[in-house]
Amino acid sequence: ADWQLSGEAAFNRLDQEGRLFGYDADVADYVEIPFPSGVGGVREDRYEGLLSVGFPLTANLSVQLIAGGEYSQISQTGANPNARSFQRPKGSLSLAWAPMSGLDINLLVARRVGQLNFGDFLASVNLSEDQSNAGNNDLRPQQNWDIELQIAKNFGAYGSATLTLFDESIEDLVLIVPVVGGGEARGNLASAHRRGARFTGTLELGPLGWTGAQLDLRMEIED
């Protein structure tokens, strides 16, 4: 078996001072608009530890297991101060099977944890796009349970094809949500589900009499 132990420590910070002005025709000048939620800072101390082991089950079947977790402390200063900590399990189980020459089948089951964009904690205004985003000091990282089955076939001189089936169960989905009083911000939905299939293939037309030509195909469907 092949063993590997990994660790990571990350210390991230963001300091933002946003000021907003509006043109006042009466005084023919720009007048500052109160924008307290655009000023503040975000700090994160994040630690991760993972242990992986991989070994063959048979001559053409191998397995890899990764298990561990992530611990994060996030604090915010400014108009809406807040401090929180997260403990999240992470890892994956993967199987690789080559039942015959040119055919590879891979199965992956993974627990993934996303990373937060610190800019989403504080308010911002994009003047060129005439868009404003409210801050969200309670934003949580997205977590996924992912299952993926990939079947790849090599047809030699005629090309190759790959079919991927996937299923995702999502907790705390991060996306744009409306906020009380109007406007929008990055926020969380409690749960979401995504499933679908992807197909990619290449057909070499040389063996069929058209030297130097090939046909590339890509199809995708998801719900």
Side-chain angles (χ1 to χ4, degrees):
D2 177 37
W3 293 84
Q4 180 173 309
L5 177 65
S6 65
E8 176 185 312
F11 308 101
N12 304 312
R13 61 181 294 174
L14 168 70
D15 292 302
Q16 174 177 300
E17 182 177 347
R19 302 175 67 191
L20 185 62
F21 294 80
Y23 186 76
D24 189 336
D26 294 334
V27 298
D29 201 356
Y30 288 93
V31 177
E32 187 166 6
I33 300 171
F35 193 46
S37 57
V39 179
V42 183
R43 304 285 186 274
E44 180 190 39
D45 296 342
R46 178 163 47 86
Y47 307 91
E48 177 186 280
L50 295 172
L51 176 65
S52 69
V53 57
F55 52 88
L57 296 175
T58 66
N60 58 4
L61 177 64
S62 62
V63 61
Q64 183 184 49
L65 176 64
I66 303 175
E70 176 183 297
Y71 175 76
S72 174
Q73 289 181 313
I74 298 179
S75 61
Q76 178 186 341
T77 61
N80 299 299
N82 195 12
R84 296 167 295 150
S85 63
F86 299 102
Q87 291 177 295
R88 300 283 190 261
K90 301 175 70 173
S92 65
L93 172 66
S94 58
L95 293 170
W97 183 34
M100 64 179 66
S101 177
L103 177 62
D104 294 297
I105 301 175
N106 297 286
L107 175 65
L108 173 68
V109 180
R111 172 68 171 183
R112 296 190 171 102
V113 180
Q115 300 300 321
L116 295 172
N117 184 341
F118 286 0
D120 295 332
F121 284 68
L122 305 171
S124 62
V125 175
N126 188 318
L127 298 178
S128 61
E129 297 182 3
D130 193 22
Q131 182 179 9
S132 63
N133 290 327
N136 183 356
N137 68 344
D138 197 34
L139 196 62
R140 299 180 299 279
Q142 180 173 309
Q143 305 133 74
N144 286 35
W145 276 109
D146 296 343
I147 302 175
E148 182 177 286
L149 176 64
Q150 184 180 83
I151 304 171
K153 183 71 172 74
N154 190 323
F155 296 99
Y158 289 93
S160 61
T162 301
L163 174 65
T164 304
L165 308 176
F166 60 89
D167 185 278
E168 301 178 12
S169 295
I170 306 170
E171 303 170 40
D172 292 327
L173 175 68
V174 177
L175 77 172
I176 295 291
V177 298
V179 298
V180 176
E184 59 187 26
R186 287 282 178 179
N188 296 105
L189 290 186
S191 62
H193 199 179
R194 180 172 174 264
R195 63 175 69 87
R198 292 186 295 268
F199 176 83
T200 58
T202 299
L203 174 61
E204 299 291 347
L205 301 179
L208 302 178
W210 193 355
T211 303
Q214 70 179 34
L215 177 66
D216 293 322
L217 180 65
R218 177 181 175 86
M219 296 186 293
E220 183 170 347
I221 182 171
E222 70 174 49
D223 174 63

